[in-house]
Amino acid sequence: MTPIKAALIDLSGTLHVEDQPTAGAVDALQRLRAAGVAVKFVTNTTKESVGSLYDRLVAIGFQLERKEIYGSLTAAADYVKSNALNPYYILTDDARKDFPEGDSSRGHDSVVVGLAPERFSYEYINEAFRILQQSKGSARLVAIHEGKFYKTKQGISVGPGCFVKGLEYSSGVKSVCIGKPNEYFFRSALPSGVDPSECCMIGDDPSDDCLGAMAVGMRGFLVETGKYQPELYDKDSLPKVSGIFRNFAAVVEHIIERVNV
Ligand SMILES: [Mg+2]
């Protein structure tokens, strides 16, 4: 097996669930770094700005640098800037901080949707729909990601994907999806000088994390601490990932003991 030089690590459901690190994750991250594996944290989390994510991870015990976090929010903000868009945002106030200021001298020419539970109401969705509908096809619908659901302390909860799909359905405007599992998201997250075959993605989403990364030639390791629901699969229909592990710490042991020997 090709040794692993770099690991892309998902946050929510993999390193932590809300304010709780997954079992052994804090130490495992240190062991992975000590083994010489470069790490980058790749997240579709759109509820929190990169600064807030960083603060939260440090507060629950992880050692990392802010610049090691590569999120779909950052990638989406780059997309808005490079296309000089003036979007209507369906985002939390915190996530909105990562985007450029609005231009009140012109109308909205696009809609940006992230995970924003308090904004997923008829009022906001309808305003977004009107912008898309009235532009006669010129407005863009930018999905920070199309997650179906995610795990919270209260249980499994609906993600932004169904609101993006609903807006597509009603307006006829096809969305541009920025975050995982897009190929260019994984490619741009890859540290320079590392070949995809020397990199793994560790995450709790079989398709968006693992299969997305595997499509560009990385290994995809799935953990059982987040949204992955083993009871939905039988032994013949298990996701075709590179490995399924109890938690993040178990993946790290696998990399150190079996792959990078
Ligand atoms: Mg996750």
Side-chain angles (χ1 to χ4, degrees):
M1 255 186 285
T2 317
I4 287 175
K5 291 186 183 168
L8 305 180
I9 305 166
D10 172 58
L11 296 177
S12 178
T14 302
L15 267 197
H16 68 93
V17 174
E18 306 217 333
D19 288 327
Q20 203 62 47
T22 57
V26 172
D27 288 344
L29 178 60
Q30 290 305 100
R31 283 204 303 282
L32 190 61
R33 290 186 193 274
V37 176
V39 300
K40 197 175 260 185
F41 305 96
V42 294
T43 176
N44 267 357
T45 301
T46 61
K47 249 167 56 173
E48 292 174 288
S49 62
V50 170
S52 301
L53 275 176
Y54 170 76
D55 291 343
R56 175 210 279 256
L57 290 166
V58 168
I60 63 176
F62 289 105
Q63 291 181 30
L64 75 159
E65 288 178 52
R66 190 180 155 134
K67 65 175 192 302
E68 292 177 315
I69 302 176
Y70 183 75
S72 48
L73 272 182
T74 318
D78 288 344
Y79 182 88
V80 166
K81 284 178 220 156
S82 62
N83 289 282
L85 298 177
N86 188 36
Y88 177 72
Y89 293 99
I90 301 185
L91 292 177
T92 62
D93 291 338
D94 191 37
R96 175 71 183 82
K97 290 178 197 159
D98 283 351
F99 287 80
E101 275 192 35
D103 178 357
S104 55
S105 70
R106 57 191 175 119
H108 296 298
D109 53 13
S110 49
V111 170
V112 172
V113 183
L115 179 60
E118 65 269 37
R119 301 262 149 88
F120 289 152
S121 65
Y122 187 82
E123 183 193 351
Y124 284 94
I125 299 297
N126 196 41
E127 182 62 26
F129 161 72
R130 286 178 174 161
I131 290 163
L132 297 171
Q133 174 78 9
Q134 288 163 7
S135 77
K136 300 191 173 63
S138 70
R140 284 187 226 188
L141 172 58
V142 181
I144 297 179
H145 67 87
E146 294 181 339
K148 292 189 179 82
F149 49 81
Y150 67 113
K151 189 175 181 180
T152 65
K153 271 187 284 208
Q154 293 79 31
I156 215 86
S157 299
V158 76
C162 71
F163 298 94
V164 172
K165 293 298 168 194
L167 284 169
E168 283 187 345
Y169 179 72
S170 293
S171 69
V173 176
K174 181 90 184 73
S175 67
V176 179
C177 184
I178 302 289
K180 294 183 281 185
N182 268 346
E183 264 194 34
Y184 77 80
F185 183 84
F186 287 109
R187 288 191 192 284
S188 58
L190 191 67
S192 62
V194 177
D195 188 81
S197 66
E198 300 167 324
C199 185
C200 69
M201 171 73 215
I202 306 169
D204 67 319
D205 190 313
S207 30
D208 288 1
D209 291 328
C210 300
L211 300 179
M214 289 167 73
V216 301
M218 299 176 184
R219 270 161 279 184
F221 296 132
L222 181 64
V223 295
E224 295 183 336
T225 42
K227 70 172 73 165
Y228 171 57
Q229 297 168 284
E231 65 275 15
L232 296 183
Y233 301 85
D234 58 36
K235 73 178 196 320
D236 298 321
S237 70
L238 282 176
K240 306 267 183 295
V241 297
S242 313
I244 302 179
F245 297 84
R246 192 169 74 253
N247 54 31
F248 172 73
V251 181
V252 170
E253 286 316 302
H254 173 78
I255 292 171
I256 292 174
E257 290 175 5
R258 302 271 189 80
V259 186
N260 292 6
V261 282

